[in-house]
Amino acid sequence: MKSGSEPAGSPYANHCLRPRHRTGRELDHDSAPGILGLLPGPAIEPGQQLVVDLGGLTFCDSTGIPVLIAARNVALAAHSTIALAAVPDRVSRIFSIVGLDQVFPTHATIQGAEVA
């Protein structure tokens, strides 16, 4: 999904992945396959940023971490960057415990991630 004010194909355009779907606001064993299917793959271009919007996320189990790592791998394979936006406090604490706060830049809002 495209986001931002730059035209599609611009190196400054962003892709925004919002892991919200019919299963609710959870990133777990049941929802992971659907969220992995949302990854942009070859649609993301070098220099773009993949923004993962976690606003509204109420639950993340151990299955959610590999999903986010997969998103990071997609971005890096495309010579792009990744950022997390609107990470809930509970999830942020988990990321800190497992060291993901050192892997993913995080921003309070999607807009903050897009301008960073």
XYZ file of all heavy atoms in Angstrom:
843
model
N 0.838 -1.169 0.000
C 0.000 0.000 0.000
C 0.881 1.230 0.000
O 1.833 1.290 0.731
C -0.874 -0.001 1.242
C -1.931 -1.048 1.196
S -2.895 -1.053 2.703
C -2.109 -2.446 3.504
N 0.562 2.174 -0.828
C 1.338 3.402 -0.900
C 0.823 4.402 0.110
O -0.337 4.430 0.449
C 1.250 4.024 -2.300
C 1.854 3.147 -3.361
C 3.312 3.369 -3.475
C 3.818 2.530 -4.644
N 5.189 2.520 -4.803
N 1.711 5.210 0.553
C 1.378 6.249 1.505
C 2.324 7.404 1.271
O 3.364 7.246 0.666
C 1.506 5.689 2.914
O 1.661 6.670 3.851
N 1.993 8.567 1.749
C 2.874 9.705 1.583
C 2.433 10.550 0.415
O 1.532 10.204 -0.330
N 3.089 11.689 0.210
C 2.667 12.618 -0.816
C 3.461 12.492 -2.100
O 3.130 13.129 -3.085
C 2.781 14.053 -0.283
O 4.130 14.320 0.057
N 4.496 11.698 -2.127
C 5.298 11.551 -3.325
C 4.608 10.598 -4.297
O 3.880 9.701 -3.901
C 6.690 11.003 -2.971
C 7.490 11.931 -2.102
C 7.861 13.224 -2.779
O 8.049 13.229 -4.005
O 7.957 14.241 -2.083
N 4.831 10.769 -5.594
C 4.210 9.876 -6.575
C 4.750 8.460 -6.465
O 5.866 8.247 -6.011
C 4.591 10.506 -7.923
C 5.796 11.338 -7.635
C 5.676 11.772 -6.196
N 3.936 7.508 -6.902
C 4.375 6.117 -6.905
C 5.650 6.009 -7.727
O 5.799 6.654 -8.750
C 3.285 5.228 -7.496
N 6.564 5.196 -7.276
C 7.825 5.029 -7.970
C 8.895 5.998 -7.509
O 10.053 5.842 -7.815
N 8.511 7.027 -6.788
C 9.477 7.976 -6.264
C 10.300 7.289 -5.190
O 9.774 6.523 -4.394
C 8.748 9.176 -5.653
O 9.626 9.906 -4.830
N 11.589 7.555 -5.123
C 12.382 6.931 -4.061
C 11.997 7.432 -2.688
O 12.419 6.883 -1.694
C 13.821 7.318 -4.415
C 13.701 8.519 -5.279
C 12.384 8.382 -5.996
N 11.188 8.479 -2.620
C 10.791 9.029 -1.334
C 9.402 8.583 -0.913
O 8.954 8.924 0.161
C 10.880 10.555 -1.365
C 12.272 10.994 -1.721
C 12.550 11.510 -2.962
C 13.326 10.830 -0.822
C 13.842 11.886 -3.301
C 14.614 11.195 -1.162
C 14.870 11.724 -2.395
O 16.139 12.074 -2.730
N 8.723 7.831 -1.768
C 7.403 7.325 -1.396
C 7.585 6.225 -0.370
O 8.616 5.565 -0.318
C 6.671 6.797 -2.623
N 6.594 6.027 0.464
C 6.648 4.995 1.495
C 5.572 3.958 1.241
O 4.536 4.246 0.651
C 6.397 5.601 2.880
C 7.512 6.512 3.321
O 8.662 6.128 3.276
N 7.167 7.707 3.732
N 5.811 2.777 1.709
C 4.798 1.743 1.768
C 4.383 1.663 3.223
O 5.224 1.638 4.104
C 5.359 0.382 1.334
C 5.550 0.276 -0.129
N 4.636 -0.311 -0.945
C 6.545 0.706 -0.929
C 5.069 -0.262 -2.189
N 6.226 0.351 -2.209
N 3.098 1.607 3.456
C 2.632 1.504 4.837
C 1.885 0.199 4.988
O 0.889 -0.038 4.300
C 1.736 2.682 5.195
S 1.281 2.694 6.935
N 2.373 -0.660 5.828
C 1.753 -1.945 6.102
C 0.967 -1.831 7.391
O 1.514 -1.519 8.438
C 2.836 -3.025 6.242
C 2.380 -4.425 6.640
C 1.510 -5.022 5.538
C 3.582 -5.307 6.887
N -0.320 -2.076 7.292
C -1.173 -2.001 8.474
C -1.688 -3.405 8.774
O -2.584 -3.888 8.086
C -2.319 -1.037 8.232
C -1.856 0.392 8.113
C -3.022 1.339 7.859
N -2.589 2.708 7.948
C -2.189 3.429 6.906
N -2.151 2.891 5.704
N -1.817 4.679 7.071
N -1.126 -4.060 9.776
C -1.543 -5.433 10.069
C -2.881 -5.474 10.800
O -2.995 -5.912 11.926
C -0.405 -5.976 10.919
C 0.154 -4.785 11.579
C -0.027 -3.640 10.613
N -3.880 -5.001 10.119
C -5.225 -5.005 10.684
C -6.119 -5.727 9.693
O -6.150 -5.383 8.518
C -5.724 -3.577 10.872
C -4.851 -2.781 11.799
C -5.343 -1.374 11.876
N -4.431 -0.604 12.708
C -4.332 0.691 12.654
N -5.071 1.391 11.842
N -3.491 1.312 13.443
N -6.800 -6.684 10.145
C -7.638 -7.480 9.254
C -8.774 -8.072 10.058
O -8.947 -7.766 11.230
C -6.805 -8.549 8.559
C -5.933 -9.278 9.515
N -6.391 -10.293 10.280
C -4.644 -9.073 9.866
C -5.412 -10.713 11.056
N -4.354 -9.994 10.838
N -9.532 -8.933 9.441
C -10.770 -9.401 10.053
C -10.580 -10.160 11.368
O -11.520 -10.287 12.133
C -11.562 -10.254 9.067
C -10.901 -11.540 8.687
C -11.742 -12.316 7.680
N -11.168 -13.595 7.395
C -11.291 -14.662 8.148
N -11.989 -14.624 9.258
N -10.724 -15.799 7.808
N -9.375 -10.649 11.646
C -9.178 -11.382 12.894
C -9.016 -10.455 14.085
O -8.916 -10.907 15.206
C -7.948 -12.315 12.817
O -6.801 -11.518 12.564
C -8.121 -13.368 11.770
N -8.983 -9.176 13.872
C -8.887 -8.232 14.978
C -7.556 -7.540 15.024
O -6.891 -7.376 14.016
N -7.159 -7.146 16.203
C -5.945 -6.364 16.390
C -4.832 -7.198 17.010
O -4.044 -6.699 17.789
C -6.254 -5.166 17.285
C -7.401 -4.337 16.803
C -6.881 -3.188 15.992
N -7.931 -2.232 15.726
C -8.281 -1.866 14.513
N -7.679 -2.368 13.480
N -9.226 -0.983 14.338
N -4.769 -8.464 16.645
C -3.776 -9.357 17.231
C -2.755 -9.784 16.191
O -3.080 -9.985 15.027
C -4.474 -10.578 17.826
C -5.441 -10.191 18.929
C -6.183 -11.368 19.513
O -6.055 -12.493 18.996
O -6.893 -11.159 20.499
N -1.526 -9.913 16.633
C -0.450 -10.443 15.809
C -0.017 -11.728 16.493
O 0.754 -11.719 17.445
C 0.689 -9.435 15.713
C 1.895 -9.799 14.854
C 1.483 -10.287 13.476
C 2.823 -8.604 14.741
N -0.599 -12.835 16.024
C -0.376 -14.112 16.685
C -0.350 -15.242 15.662
O -0.353 -14.995 14.449
C -1.441 -14.357 17.757
C -2.861 -14.376 17.217
O -3.050 -14.419 15.975
O -3.793 -14.346 18.028
N -0.349 -16.462 16.155
C -0.276 -17.649 15.297
C -1.381 -17.664 14.239
O -1.141 -18.026 13.089
C -0.345 -18.911 16.162
C -0.368 -20.174 15.374
N 0.757 -20.667 14.754
C -1.378 -21.019 15.083
C 0.441 -21.787 14.127
N -0.845 -22.029 14.310
N -2.575 -17.256 14.611
C -3.696 -17.281 13.673
C -3.622 -16.180 12.625
O -4.026 -16.368 11.482
C -5.026 -17.177 14.425
C -5.301 -18.408 15.274
O -4.832 -19.512 14.915
O -5.991 -18.267 16.300
N -3.131 -15.011 13.004
C -3.140 -13.877 12.083
C -1.855 -13.741 11.263
O -1.847 -13.066 10.239
C -3.393 -12.580 12.852
O -2.332 -12.324 13.747
N -0.772 -14.366 11.696
C 0.525 -14.203 11.039
C 0.500 -14.502 9.538
O 1.028 -13.714 8.751
C 1.594 -15.038 11.744
N -0.095 -15.605 9.081
C -0.079 -15.873 7.639
C -0.749 -14.772 6.812
O -0.256 -14.390 5.756
C -0.838 -17.198 7.502
C -0.674 -17.858 8.837
C -0.683 -16.728 9.831
N -1.844 -14.233 7.307
C -2.521 -13.157 6.589
C -1.691 -11.895 6.533
O -1.659 -11.185 5.523
N -1.002 -11.599 7.614
C -0.168 -10.407 7.654
C 1.053 -10.579 6.756
O 1.435 -9.663 6.032
C 0.225 -10.071 9.099
C -1.044 -9.673 9.873
C 1.262 -8.961 9.141
C -0.869 -9.567 11.354
N 1.641 -11.770 6.753
C 2.766 -12.023 5.853
C 2.349 -11.821 4.396
O 3.135 -11.340 3.583
C 3.310 -13.442 6.058
C 4.151 -13.646 7.303
C 4.425 -15.126 7.523
C 5.451 -12.869 7.215
N 1.102 -12.158 4.088
C 0.594 -11.964 2.731
C 0.470 -10.507 2.337
O 0.367 -10.184 1.156
N 0.489 -9.598 3.308
C 0.399 -8.172 3.020
C 1.745 -7.541 2.679
O 1.797 -6.405 2.217
C -0.184 -7.423 4.231
C -1.605 -7.775 4.638
C -1.972 -7.049 5.931
C -2.585 -7.414 3.533
N 2.844 -8.263 2.914
C 4.162 -7.690 2.647
C 4.280 -7.330 1.171
O 3.865 -8.092 0.305
C 5.269 -8.661 3.052
C 5.383 -8.922 4.551
C 6.459 -9.967 4.817
C 5.682 -7.637 5.303
N 4.870 -6.165 0.872
C 4.877 -5.674 -0.507
C 5.800 -6.422 -1.452
O 5.634 -6.323 -2.660
C 5.335 -4.217 -0.357
C 6.096 -4.183 0.908
C 5.452 -5.212 1.801
N 6.741 -7.192 -0.953
C 7.634 -7.936 -1.833
C 8.305 -7.032 -2.844
O 8.830 -5.982 -2.502
N 8.273 -7.420 -4.123
C 8.998 -6.639 -5.129
C 8.389 -5.255 -5.392
O 8.982 -4.446 -6.078
C 8.935 -7.509 -6.379
C 7.864 -8.488 -6.142
C 7.696 -8.629 -4.660
N 7.220 -4.968 -4.836
C 6.598 -3.664 -5.063
C 7.342 -2.539 -4.360
O 7.220 -1.380 -4.746
C 5.141 -3.681 -4.600
N 8.105 -2.845 -3.341
C 8.878 -1.805 -2.657
C 10.178 -1.591 -3.428
O 10.810 -2.539 -3.874
C 9.122 -2.157 -1.175
C 9.673 -0.969 -0.420
C 9.982 -3.377 -1.016
C 9.659 -1.117 1.086
N 10.518 -0.341 -3.609
C 11.676 0.004 -4.433
C 12.841 0.478 -3.572
O 12.640 0.936 -2.445
C 11.273 1.094 -5.422
C 10.205 0.622 -6.386
C 9.769 1.702 -7.356
O 10.497 2.703 -7.504
O 8.704 1.540 -7.955
N 14.056 0.382 -4.111
C 15.225 0.860 -3.364
C 15.022 2.296 -2.898
O 14.512 3.140 -3.635
C 16.361 0.761 -4.384
C 15.921 -0.321 -5.308
C 14.420 -0.173 -5.412
N 15.401 2.537 -1.652
C 15.302 3.873 -1.098
C 13.970 4.192 -0.449
O 13.855 5.185 0.257
N 12.965 3.368 -0.680
C 11.684 3.596 -0.030
C 11.742 3.074 1.397
O 12.666 2.371 1.778
C 10.551 2.903 -0.782
C 10.222 3.554 -2.108
C 9.053 2.876 -2.781
O 8.912 1.665 -2.727
N 8.221 3.666 -3.419
N 10.743 3.418 2.176
C 10.658 2.948 3.551
C 9.362 2.172 3.736
O 8.315 2.607 3.301
C 10.681 4.131 4.522
C 10.538 3.693 5.965
C 10.746 4.845 6.922
O 11.686 4.825 7.670
N 9.877 5.828 6.888
N 9.472 1.025 4.358
C 8.298 0.250 4.741
C 7.943 0.657 6.160
O 8.738 0.478 7.077
C 8.601 -1.250 4.663
C 7.501 -2.198 5.138
C 6.248 -2.038 4.276
C 7.995 -3.629 5.108
N 6.761 1.237 6.331
C 6.295 1.649 7.646
C 5.261 0.634 8.102
O 4.263 0.413 7.424
C 5.674 3.065 7.616
C 5.136 3.433 8.991
C 6.704 4.085 7.148
N 5.511 0.003 9.234
C 4.570 -0.966 9.791
C 3.779 -0.267 10.889
O 4.331 0.112 11.920
C 5.292 -2.220 10.338
C 4.278 -3.225 10.872
C 6.159 -2.855 9.257
N 2.502 -0.079 10.646
C 1.620 0.614 11.577
C 1.094 -0.379 12.605
O 0.299 -1.254 12.278
C 0.469 1.241 10.792
C -0.561 1.903 11.672
O -0.325 2.116 12.864
O -1.643 2.216 11.140
N 1.528 -0.240 13.836
C 1.086 -1.131 14.900
C 0.056 -0.463 15.809
O -0.287 -0.997 16.859
C 2.279 -1.620 15.721
C 3.295 -2.457 14.943
C 4.445 -2.869 15.849
C 2.648 -3.659 14.302
N -0.441 0.694 15.398
C -1.476 1.375 16.169
C -2.703 0.485 16.291
O -3.146 -0.121 15.325
N -3.210 0.362 17.476
C -4.385 -0.477 17.694
C -4.064 -1.931 17.989
O -4.958 -2.714 18.289
N -2.791 -2.313 17.898
C -2.417 -3.689 18.200
C -2.636 -3.942 19.691
O -2.148 -3.197 20.530
C -0.944 -3.919 17.840
C -0.440 -5.350 17.919
C -1.069 -6.213 16.826
C 1.069 -5.368 17.776
N -3.396 -4.967 20.002
C -3.690 -5.261 21.404
C -2.944 -6.477 21.925
O -2.845 -6.671 23.128
C -5.197 -5.489 21.610
O -5.626 -6.570 20.784
C -5.985 -4.234 21.279
N -2.420 -7.309 21.018
C -1.757 -8.539 21.451
C -0.714 -8.935 20.422
O -0.956 -8.879 19.224
C -2.784 -9.660 21.613
C -2.180 -10.966 22.039
C -1.802 -11.180 23.354
C -1.975 -11.980 21.124
C -1.230 -12.389 23.749
C -1.416 -13.188 21.509
C -1.047 -13.393 22.827
N 0.449 -9.340 20.894
C 1.507 -9.854 20.031
C 2.168 -11.010 20.762
O 2.729 -10.828 21.838
C 2.531 -8.766 19.722
S 3.897 -9.308 18.675
N 2.074 -12.206 20.183
C 2.754 -13.339 20.805
C 4.077 -13.599 20.095
O 4.505 -12.813 19.250
C 1.841 -14.578 20.850
C 1.596 -15.233 19.505
O 2.203 -14.820 18.490
O 0.789 -16.182 19.452
N 4.723 -14.691 20.433
C 6.044 -14.972 19.870
C 6.013 -15.171 18.359
O 7.048 -15.055 17.704
C 6.653 -16.197 20.543
O 5.848 -17.339 20.312
N 4.863 -15.431 17.781
C 4.736 -15.562 16.333
C 4.854 -14.211 15.654
O 5.254 -14.126 14.497
C 3.382 -16.202 15.962
O 3.185 -17.367 16.747
C 3.316 -16.575 14.502
N 4.521 -13.147 16.348
C 4.575 -11.818 15.763
C 5.981 -11.343 15.476
O 6.216 -10.605 14.518
N 6.930 -11.765 16.275
C 8.312 -11.323 16.094
C 8.873 -11.787 14.747
O 9.417 -10.972 14.000
C 9.177 -11.751 17.288
C 8.712 -10.976 18.534
C 10.665 -11.535 17.006
C 9.290 -11.452 19.834
N 8.730 -13.063 14.359
C 9.215 -13.458 13.033
C 8.483 -12.750 11.885
O 9.068 -12.531 10.826
C 8.962 -14.971 12.981
C 8.866 -15.399 14.396
C 8.319 -14.225 15.150
N 7.240 -12.371 12.089
C 6.515 -11.621 11.055
C 7.195 -10.273 10.838
O 7.416 -9.846 9.699
C 5.027 -11.446 11.434
C 4.342 -10.451 10.511
C 4.313 -12.787 11.409
N 7.536 -9.602 11.928
C 8.209 -8.310 11.799
C 9.617 -8.464 11.220
O 10.061 -7.636 10.419
C 8.249 -7.603 13.155
C 6.871 -7.199 13.683
C 6.983 -6.672 15.098
C 6.210 -6.182 12.765
N 10.308 -9.525 11.601
C 11.628 -9.795 11.018
C 11.489 -10.062 9.522
O 12.306 -9.599 8.719
C 12.324 -10.977 11.732
C 12.596 -10.637 13.201
C 13.598 -11.398 11.003
C 13.565 -9.503 13.430
N 10.448 -10.778 9.113
C 10.202 -11.025 7.685
C 9.962 -9.708 6.952
O 10.462 -9.511 5.832
C 9.015 -11.967 7.496
N 9.207 -8.806 7.562
C 8.977 -7.494 6.950
C 10.299 -6.741 6.800
O 10.558 -6.116 5.762
C 7.987 -6.692 7.782
N 11.129 -6.826 7.823
C 12.452 -6.182 7.766
C 13.286 -6.789 6.642
O 13.956 -6.072 5.887
C 13.166 -6.342 9.102
C 14.537 -5.712 9.152
C 15.153 -5.884 10.547
N 16.444 -5.248 10.640
C 17.602 -5.861 10.382
N 17.623 -7.135 10.048
N 18.739 -5.202 10.494
N 13.246 -8.102 6.507
C 14.009 -8.777 5.457
C 13.541 -8.360 4.064
O 14.351 -8.206 3.150
C 13.935 -10.291 5.625
C 14.696 -10.766 6.838
O 15.546 -10.060 7.385
N 14.386 -11.972 7.290
N 12.228 -8.187 3.900
C 11.688 -7.721 2.617
C 12.248 -6.331 2.304
O 12.690 -6.067 1.185
C 10.139 -7.704 2.637
C 9.580 -6.893 1.487
C 9.593 -9.124 2.608
N 12.223 -5.456 3.299
C 12.729 -4.097 3.088
C 14.218 -4.109 2.756
O 14.662 -3.456 1.802
C 12.457 -3.228 4.314
N 14.996 -4.855 3.534
C 16.437 -4.884 3.302
C 16.789 -5.504 1.956
O 17.698 -5.032 1.271
C 17.134 -5.636 4.432
C 17.077 -4.969 5.809
C 17.764 -5.847 6.855
C 17.671 -3.576 5.780
N 16.059 -6.538 1.550
C 16.307 -7.168 0.247
C 16.041 -6.198 -0.901
O 16.659 -6.303 -1.959
C 15.443 -8.423 0.090
N 15.139 -5.254 -0.670
C 14.817 -4.251 -1.687
C 15.698 -3.009 -1.553
O 15.443 -2.006 -2.215
C 13.345 -3.859 -1.581
N 16.713 -3.069 -0.693
C 17.585 -1.913 -0.421
C 16.752 -0.731 0.067
O 16.943 0.406 -0.350
C 18.409 -1.547 -1.652
C 19.252 -2.690 -2.129
N 20.397 -3.098 -1.479
C 19.088 -3.546 -3.168
C 20.914 -4.139 -2.110
N 20.139 -4.437 -3.136
N 15.832 -1.058 0.948
C 14.931 -0.080 1.542
C 15.100 -0.126 3.056
O 15.874 -0.917 3.574
C 13.487 -0.409 1.169
O 13.325 -0.365 -0.225
N 14.349 0.715 3.737
C 14.398 0.731 5.189
C 13.032 0.359 5.742
O 12.044 0.263 5.003
C 14.797 2.124 5.708
O 13.844 3.088 5.249
C 16.185 2.503 5.240
N 12.989 0.156 7.035
C 11.737 -0.191 7.709
C 11.657 0.608 9.008
O 12.680 0.910 9.619
C 11.632 -1.707 7.995
C 10.260 -2.058 8.553
C 12.768 -2.179 8.877
C 9.965 -3.546 8.600
N 10.441 0.954 9.377
C 10.203 1.629 10.651
C 8.867 1.160 11.194
O 7.954 0.825 10.432
C 10.193 3.146 10.471
N 8.764 1.122 12.510
C 7.510 0.781 13.171
C 6.867 2.059 13.673
O 7.551 2.941 14.191
C 7.758 -0.172 14.339
C 8.519 -1.459 14.030
C 8.673 -2.286 15.307
C 7.839 -2.254 12.939
N 5.556 2.136 13.518
C 4.829 3.324 13.956
C 3.754 2.939 14.958
O 3.141 1.881 14.849
C 4.189 4.029 12.762
N 3.543 3.827 15.915
C 2.459 3.695 16.899
C 2.524 2.371 17.656
O 1.522 1.689 17.836
C 1.100 3.873 16.217
N 3.713 2.015 18.110
C 3.894 0.762 18.845
C 3.281 0.927 20.243
O 3.696 1.800 21.001
C 5.385 0.390 18.959
C 5.556 -0.928 19.708
C 6.035 0.323 17.582
N 2.304 0.087 20.599
C 1.708 0.186 21.928
C 2.752 -0.070 23.024
O 3.706 -0.824 22.824
C 0.647 -0.916 21.935
C 0.366 -1.191 20.496
C 1.657 -0.938 19.777
N 2.557 0.543 24.189
C 3.515 0.417 25.294
C 3.803 -1.037 25.658
O 4.960 -1.413 25.857
C 3.014 1.152 26.535
C 3.079 2.659 26.371
O 3.842 3.136 25.509
O 2.364 3.354 27.114
N 2.775 -1.839 25.739
C 2.965 -3.248 26.113
C 3.871 -3.959 25.109
O 4.778 -4.704 25.482
C 1.605 -3.943 26.205
C 1.711 -5.443 26.418
C 0.361 -6.072 26.494
N -0.097 -5.917 27.871
C -1.320 -6.127 28.271
N -2.234 -6.486 27.410
N -1.649 -5.992 29.524
N 3.643 -3.724 23.834
C 4.449 -4.350 22.784
C 5.864 -3.768 22.795
O 6.841 -4.491 22.628
C 3.772 -4.178 21.409
C 4.635 -4.733 20.294
C 2.391 -4.854 21.406
N 5.968 -2.478 23.035
C 7.273 -1.827 23.105
C 8.136 -2.438 24.204
O 9.349 -2.645 24.028
C 7.088 -0.328 23.328
O 8.317 0.323 23.345
N 7.528 -2.738 25.341
C 8.278 -3.374 26.440
C 8.784 -4.749 26.033
O 9.927 -5.116 26.340
C 7.404 -3.462 27.684
C 7.275 -2.130 28.413
C 6.644 -2.282 29.779
N 5.275 -2.779 29.748
C 4.198 -2.018 29.554
N 4.324 -0.721 29.369
N 2.999 -2.548 29.557
N 7.968 -5.508 25.332
C 8.391 -6.836 24.854
C 9.559 -6.685 23.882
O 10.553 -7.408 23.971
C 7.215 -7.586 24.194
C 6.163 -7.923 25.242
C 7.698 -8.836 23.471
C 4.843 -8.397 24.660
N 9.436 -5.727 22.944
C 10.517 -5.502 21.980
C 11.814 -5.145 22.690
O 12.888 -5.578 22.293
C 10.143 -4.400 21.000
C 9.097 -4.792 19.985
C 8.661 -3.869 19.066
C 8.545 -6.057 19.951
C 7.708 -4.199 18.124
C 7.582 -6.399 19.027
C 7.170 -5.466 18.103
N 11.721 -4.365 23.745
C 12.896 -3.970 24.501
C 13.540 -5.174 25.177
O 14.768 -5.336 25.171
C 12.515 -2.915 25.538
O 13.626 -2.530 26.277
N 12.714 -6.042 25.742
C 13.223 -7.236 26.430
C 13.975 -8.150 25.473
O 15.033 -8.683 25.816
C 12.073 -7.989 27.128
C 11.552 -7.169 28.310
C 12.507 -9.383 27.575
C 10.236 -7.668 28.877
N 13.443 -8.339 24.268
C 14.074 -9.259 23.319
C 15.072 -8.573 22.388
O 15.682 -9.220 21.546
C 13.022 -10.051 22.495
C 12.154 -10.892 23.393
C 12.189 -9.137 21.631
N 15.266 -7.261 22.549
C 16.270 -6.552 21.767
C 15.811 -5.996 20.437
O 16.623 -5.464 19.678
N 14.542 -6.105 20.137
C 14.059 -5.590 18.859
C 14.065 -4.067 18.803
O 14.053 -3.493 17.717
C 12.657 -6.116 18.540
C 12.582 -7.593 18.173
C 11.149 -7.995 17.873
C 13.479 -7.916 16.994
N 14.119 -3.423 19.947
C 14.210 -1.964 19.958
C 15.541 -1.509 19.356
O 15.681 -0.363 18.935
C 14.032 -1.409 21.369
C 15.062 -1.925 22.356
O 15.613 -3.029 22.144
O 15.300 -1.228 23.353
N 16.519 -2.411 19.267
C 17.805 -2.113 18.647
C 17.792 -2.408 17.152
O 18.706 -2.020 16.434
C 18.910 -2.936 19.312
C 19.035 -2.710 20.801
C 19.356 -1.273 21.137
O 20.302 -0.705 20.593
N 18.577 -0.668 22.024
N 16.760 -3.115 16.683
C 16.671 -3.546 15.288
C 15.743 -2.647 14.480
O 16.000 -2.374 13.304
C 16.184 -5.016 15.217
C 15.972 -5.469 13.788
C 17.155 -5.933 15.939
N 14.654 -2.201 15.112
C 13.634 -1.421 14.420
C 13.586 0.009 14.941
O 13.367 0.223 16.133
C 12.251 -2.032 14.645
C 12.036 -3.356 13.978
C 12.159 -4.527 14.705
C 11.720 -3.428 12.643
C 11.953 -5.759 14.110
C 11.519 -4.657 12.035
C 11.638 -5.823 12.758
N 13.722 0.992 14.056
C 13.429 2.350 14.490
C 11.919 2.469 14.737
O 11.126 1.897 13.981
C 13.870 3.223 13.314
C 14.101 2.312 12.175
C 14.186 0.917 12.692
N 11.539 3.148 15.797
C 10.124 3.305 16.095
C 9.765 4.783 16.182
O 10.596 5.630 16.541
C 9.735 2.611 17.417
O 10.497 3.177 18.475
C 9.994 1.107 17.352
N 8.514 5.066 15.851
C 8.010 6.436 15.837
C 6.619 6.436 16.444
O 5.879 5.451 16.309
C 7.984 6.981 14.414
C 9.341 6.941 13.771
N 10.271 7.927 13.936
C 9.928 5.988 12.994
C 11.373 7.605 13.285
N 11.191 6.429 12.710
N 6.262 7.528 17.051
C 4.958 7.636 17.720
C 3.797 7.580 16.727
O 2.720 7.090 17.048
C 4.881 8.917 18.536
N 4.027 8.077 15.506
C 2.960 8.124 14.508
C 3.494 7.674 13.142
O 4.703 7.664 12.909
C 2.406 9.559 14.339
O 3.465 10.393 13.825
C 1.890 10.126 15.662
N 2.556 7.372 12.256
C 2.936 7.044 10.876
C 3.603 8.245 10.231
O 4.627 8.127 9.559
C 1.698 6.621 10.064
C 1.117 5.334 10.604
C 2.047 6.454 8.580
C -0.233 4.982 10.032
N 3.033 9.417 10.467
C 3.587 10.634 9.883
C 5.025 10.862 10.374
O 5.889 11.269 9.588
C 2.704 11.835 10.213
C 1.334 11.783 9.588
C 0.361 10.860 10.323
O 0.587 10.436 11.462
N -0.742 10.528 9.665
N 5.266 10.601 11.643
C 6.614 10.745 12.175
C 7.589 9.790 11.518
O 8.741 10.138 11.247
N 7.137 8.586 11.255
C 7.994 7.597 10.577
C 8.276 8.019 9.141
O 9.384 7.843 8.639
C 7.330 6.227 10.613
N 7.267 8.571 8.492
C 7.443 8.934 7.073
C 8.410 10.083 6.874
O 9.073 10.143 5.856
C 6.071 9.283 6.467
C 5.200 8.064 6.297
C 3.806 8.386 5.785
O 3.358 9.544 5.936
O 3.187 7.489 5.224
N 8.500 10.992 7.832
C 9.403 12.130 7.660
C 10.781 11.881 8.234
O 11.689 12.683 8.036
C 8.801 13.432 8.252
C 7.511 13.792 7.563
C 8.619 13.336 9.738
N 10.948 10.778 8.947
C 12.242 10.473 9.572
C 13.257 10.021 8.538
O 12.974 9.557 7.491
C 12.069 9.398 10.632
